[in-house]
């Protein structure tokens, strides 16, 4: 097993971390810790997650010894909140590329794809005290050695080890990932963060199907704006600004 508390505490010092082998959701633990005053950069790490949350109410279940499951506490300014999703996806892209993988990019808004399949997801959750932002928990799940072969996700999800064909140490990966999170957290509010995210988007110029809260739309993904919204041109010529949703890439007629 490549994760244990003593090693993580030593490798990630002086960062405050809580390593809990089995959790329901690292985001839940981090949300409580945030409210108790955890400093910027504190991280909750788990080996196994039994009730993990994904975007749009989905489940993100993770068995032992297969993935990175981490939630980082950040204390951004409220007007930088929309960049947290970009930050997480970028940090993960850089981790995967650092390991030697190619064909890494972002499916709007924040799915990291490796060779066209999802290797990671990001779930930011904010905590407010009235109108004041207390902080945000940036939850990240990265498939390191999840075996999708023969599962219903086989065509859509992938693990880093499967693509690279070698074993990885999750403590190494966490160290790199958290360094990249720190780097981009220091750029919050800076246009370089938006530009780096935009440049990694695989979605632009593609015909896509977008599922948003007000329904489904088909069209050309034209551009994004600094708040992370997608501009979709539908076949009737209208351009829709979509702030949150989910898209399908490819095979869209
Ligand atoms: C997605 O739907 O793509 C986002 C998935 C985010 C999963 C991570 S795993 C660590 C953290 N804890 C959770 O419960 N969810 C996030």
């Amino acid at each position: 097993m490549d994760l244990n508390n003593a090693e993580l505490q030593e490798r990630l010092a002086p960062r405050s971390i809580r390593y809990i082998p089995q959790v329901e959701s690292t985001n839940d633990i981090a949300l409580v810790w945030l409210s108790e005053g955890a400093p910027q950069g504190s991280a909750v790490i788990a080996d196994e997650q039994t009730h993990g949350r994904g975007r749009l109410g989905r489940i993100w279940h993770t068995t032992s010894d297969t993935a990175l499951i981490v939630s980082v506490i950040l204390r951004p300014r409220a007007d930088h909140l929309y960049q947290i999703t970009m930050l997480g996806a970028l940090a993960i892209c850089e981790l995967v590329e650092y390991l030697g993988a190619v064909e890494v990019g972002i499916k709007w808004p924040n799915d990291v794809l490796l060779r066209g399949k999802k290797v990671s997801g990001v779930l930011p959750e904010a905590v407010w005290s009235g109108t004041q932002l207390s902080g945000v928990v940036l939850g990240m799940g990265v498939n390191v050695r999840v075996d999708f072969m023969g599962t219903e996700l086989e065509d859509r999800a992938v693990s880093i080890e499967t693509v690279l064909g070698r074993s990885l140490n999750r403590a190494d990966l966490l160290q790199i990932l958290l360094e990249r999170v720190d780097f981009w957290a220091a750029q919050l509010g800076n246009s370089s963060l938006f530009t780096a995210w935009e440049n990694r988007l695989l979605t632009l110029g593609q015909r896509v199907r977008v599922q948003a809260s007000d329904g489904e739309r088909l069209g050309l993904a034209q551009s994004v704006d600094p708040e992370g919204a997608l501009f979709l041109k539908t076949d009737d010529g209208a351009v829709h600004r979509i702030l949150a949703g989910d898209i399908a890439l490819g095979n869209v007629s």
Side-chain angles (χ1 to χ4, degrees):
M1 190 51 169
D2 54 356
L3 289 183
N4 68 73
N5 187 44
E7 190 192 344
L8 286 172
Q9 296 290 350
E10 190 185 318
R11 298 223 10 205
L12 302 177
R15 186 186 305 273
S16 296
I17 65 154
R18 289 188 180 168
Y19 172 66
I20 306 165
Q22 189 195 66
V23 294
E24 289 196 349
S25 160
T26 50
N27 268 25
D28 284 346
I29 292 165
L31 285 166
V32 173
W33 197 13
L34 188 160
S35 302
E36 291 168 353
Q40 160 93 3
S42 302
V44 177
I45 298 165
D47 170 53
E48 181 181 355
Q49 187 167 254
T50 57
H51 289 84
R53 283 196 297 282
R55 291 179 60 238
L56 309 171
R58 297 196 187 109
I59 293 167
W60 188 275
H61 177 69
T62 314
T63 54
S64 173
D65 199 25
T66 59
L68 300 185
I69 310 164
V70 54
S71 297
V72 185
I73 293 164
L74 299 170
R75 297 194 178 269
R77 286 172 31 176
D79 57 339
H80 297 161
L81 195 51
Y82 58 86
Q83 285 196 325
I84 298 296
T85 293
M86 302 175 190
L87 180 168
L90 269 175
I92 294 162
C93 282
E94 291 176 344
L95 163 71
V96 179
E97 278 181 354
Y98 176 87
L99 297 170
V102 291
E103 291 184 60
V104 182
I106 301 170
K107 179 164 83 84
W108 183 88
N110 59 4
D111 284 352
V112 178
L113 303 191
L114 173 57
R115 292 199 185 159
K117 296 183 183 180
K118 181 161 171 167
V119 72
S120 173
V122 177
L123 180 69
E125 294 185 292
V127 177
W128 296 84
S129 174
T131 55
Q132 196 92 335
L133 179 67
S134 305
V136 58
V137 165
L138 172 61
M140 294 171 284
V142 183
N143 302 326
V144 177
R145 58 184 83 96
V146 182
D147 185 4
F148 293 106
M149 195 82 88
T151 73
E152 54 164 357
L153 293 174
E154 185 176 352
D155 296 334
R156 287 181 284 138
V158 75
S159 288
I160 310 176
E161 284 192 358
T162 312
V163 169
L164 294 183
R166 66 173 204 270
S167 300
L168 299 165
N169 177 293
R170 286 182 296 164
D172 291 344
L173 306 193
L174 282 165
Q175 194 168 5
I176 300 162
L177 178 62
L178 293 173
E179 278 169 12
R180 297 321 296 161
V181 168
D182 290 348
F183 173 84
W184 287 112
Q187 309 294 319
L188 280 169
N190 189 328
S191 63
S192 65
L193 200 163
F194 167 70
T195 306
W197 173 76
E198 183 184 33
N199 287 340
R200 287 186 177 274
L201 280 179
L202 302 166
T203 315
L204 301 185
Q206 301 255 350
R207 195 164 164 76
V208 296
R209 187 186 301 279
V210 182
Q211 268 164 339
S213 54
D214 61 347
E216 192 177 279
R217 289 197 177 94
L218 196 67
L220 179 71
Q222 279 191 319
S223 58
V224 283
D225 69 17
E227 287 189 15
L230 177 72
F231 290 96
L232 183 81
K233 186 172 185 180
T234 45
D235 295 341
D236 58 4
V239 177
H240 304 262
R241 181 177 185 268
I242 302 168
L243 204 43
D246 213 20
I247 66 167
L249 274 181
N251 296 330
V252 178
S253 51

